[in-house]
Amino acid sequence: MTDVARIAGVSQSSVSLVLNEMSGARISAETRARVREAAQKIGYRLPNTRQDLAQAPAIEKDTIAFVVDEISTSPHPVVSLDGIRDYAFEQGLLVSAHATRSNPDLESAVLRAVLRDPAIAGVIYATIFTRKVSVPPELANIPTVLLNCYAEPRQHMAIVPGEVAGGFAATAHLTSLGHRRIGFINGEPWMDAAVDRLKGYKQALATADVAFDEALVRDGDWLPLRGYEAGLDLLAMENPPTAIFCGNDLMAIGVLEAASERGLRVPEDLSVMGYDDQELARYTHPPLSTLVLPNYEMGQKAAEILIDMAIHGKRPRPMTIKVDGPLVQRGTTAMLSHASARRR
């Protein structure tokens, strides 16, 4: 590739863009032709296009392509990738990871490159947050599993977190400790995760014969500052909650700060429940009770299903599988004390 760049008088990056057929690159037709001519002159082609695949010797399909819209702004897709990698390696396969940044041109280029590679056994198509997607038509003829996303009509296997069950489990934990005034700081209301966690919260209250009180619910944005602001707002109520369930661990950290500012002890005066079990949940003071978002297990499950389809020839009926995460009780939740109840 360096030789091609030198002969064509362009950068190696330009050679890569041209030979990989990256449609979003602003490279003139003249430059593209010069690069292809230089590559042909020295007999260079990409490894997976050196010969007509119909005449090429069979290449073992030993790689899973993990295609995700974003990977660097959240720990969740990275943990899913760990699960995919570990399960695949146990089965003798490797994983190639591709982040598309929600750029349609980049996604198309990635999928073209993936489909050209005869070593690719199948694709795990993932999103950074749970949502409905339109599956790219390029994936119609290759084994594909959706991860943390789903499509309608249901034509693919999809693995998503059990968010309703998670919201239920987190809230039921608090009701089991005697709490009846339970505040809920949710995420952004347009997101699937926020809708389903709220649904689980309501179901757990109903199961415990506790009436749902809309005044105890606040919309958040998944960040500590909003958790702090919403926590102060809830704790300033005439009849404040004795426990607060937060839609994620970051907002729970904000609530811990709000409780401290109000002179409340956690968990003696206020129980705080997080969600996600991010690494930092172990290091708050006290350590944060939370519910695991099972990204690793979801990744493993996606790899297992894809390998069954691509390597073992199984054809499962398309469905959406929901993976539940366990509750982790640490130091921020406790039985409702009589003194705490009287103060409220």
Side-chain angles (χ1 to χ4, degrees):
M1 196 175 287
T2 302
D3 292 338
V4 173
R6 178 176 49 79
I7 295 170
V10 298
S11 68
Q12 187 172 331
S13 296
S14 294
V15 173
S16 177
L17 291 170
V18 171
L19 297 184
N20 279 294
E21 300 178 8
M22 297 284 279
S23 61
R26 296 180 179 178
I27 298 176
S28 69
E30 179 184 351
T31 300
R32 290 178 183 273
R34 199 162 69 242
V35 168
R36 293 191 183 101
E37 182 180 346
Q40 187 174 15
K41 181 178 179 180
I42 65 171
Y44 177 82
R45 292 180 185 174
L46 291 176
N48 52 9
T49 58
R50 281 182 179 151
Q51 47 188 320
D52 183 359
L53 293 179
Q55 301 173 355
I59 296 178
E60 182 182 3
K61 294 184 180 294
D62 63 355
T63 304
I64 291 172
F66 174 63
V67 180
V68 63
D69 55 358
E70 185 57 82
I71 201 168
S72 61
T73 60
S74 167
H76 302 310
V78 178
V79 177
S80 291
L81 177 56
D82 284 345
I84 297 168
R85 179 203 61 210
D86 291 350
Y87 186 88
F89 191 66
E90 289 175 359
Q91 307 302 311
L93 282 80
L94 299 175
V95 179
S96 62
H98 311 266
T100 65
R101 306 303 298 272
S102 298
N103 181 319
D105 288 338
L106 178 56
E107 180 176 274
S108 294
V110 164
L111 293 178
R112 284 199 303 273
V114 164
L115 294 175
R116 280 202 310 266
D117 187 344
I120 296 294
V123 175
I124 294 177
Y125 185 82
T127 54
I128 192 170
F129 60 85
T130 310
R131 61 184 175 91
K132 182 178 178 181
V133 297
S134 296
V135 180
E138 293 95 329
L139 297 177
N141 296 315
I142 187 170
T144 299
V145 174
L146 306 182
L147 177 59
N148 204 37
C149 56
Y150 57 94
E152 297 293 348
R154 205 172 286 172
Q155 296 177 337
H156 294 82
M157 293 295 295
I159 313 297
V160 299
E163 301 284 22
V164 175
F168 182 96
T171 308
H173 170 63
L174 296 172
T175 60
S176 73
L177 296 173
H179 296 281
R180 294 296 179 266
R181 294 280 295 172
I182 301 172
F184 180 40
I185 304 175
N186 202 359
E188 294 167 282
W190 58 269
M191 295 182 70
D192 285 18
V195 172
D196 286 349
R197 291 173 196 180
L198 176 61
K199 191 179 298 183
Y201 165 79
K202 290 180 177 180
Q203 290 179 1
L205 292 178
T207 300
D209 290 326
V210 177
F212 170 69
D213 184 353
E214 192 172 355
L216 289 171
V217 177
R218 300 289 185 276
D219 288 331
D221 61 2
W222 313 111
L223 296 175
L225 178 59
R226 180 54 191 151
Y228 166 76
E229 294 170 342
L232 285 179
D233 193 29
L234 287 169
L235 296 174
M237 294 175 67
E238 184 176 347
N239 184 18
T242 62
I244 297 178
F245 166 35
C246 299
N248 75 341
D249 293 341
L250 292 178
M251 291 192 297
I253 288 174
V255 171
L256 292 177
E257 184 178 349
S260 177
E261 187 171 307
R262 297 277 301 184
L264 298 174
R265 299 167 302 160
V266 175
E268 294 85 353
D269 302 323
L270 176 73
S271 283
V272 178
M273 183 74 193
Y275 198 108
D276 286 349
D277 193 31
Q278 294 192 34
E279 184 70 20
L280 53 80
R282 298 162 175 77
Y283 304 112
T284 58
H285 299 285
L288 184 65
S289 294
T290 186
L291 192 122
V292 175
L293 190 59
N295 296 113
Y296 185 85
E297 291 76 13
M298 289 164 55
Q300 285 189 312
K301 190 59 156 179
E304 177 187 353
I305 292 173
L306 184 64
I307 290 171
D308 278 347
M309 293 167 59
I311 305 300
H312 305 306
K314 296 183 179 179
R315 291 291 177 265
R317 180 172 58 88
M319 67 177 69
T320 298
I321 297 175
K322 296 185 177 182
V323 181
D324 297 338
L327 188 140
V328 181
Q329 184 174 4
R330 296 193 178 102
T332 58
T333 53
M335 291 292 296
L336 175 66
S337 69
H338 295 301
S340 175
R342 283 198 302 272
R343 279 195 294 271
R344 286 158 168 75

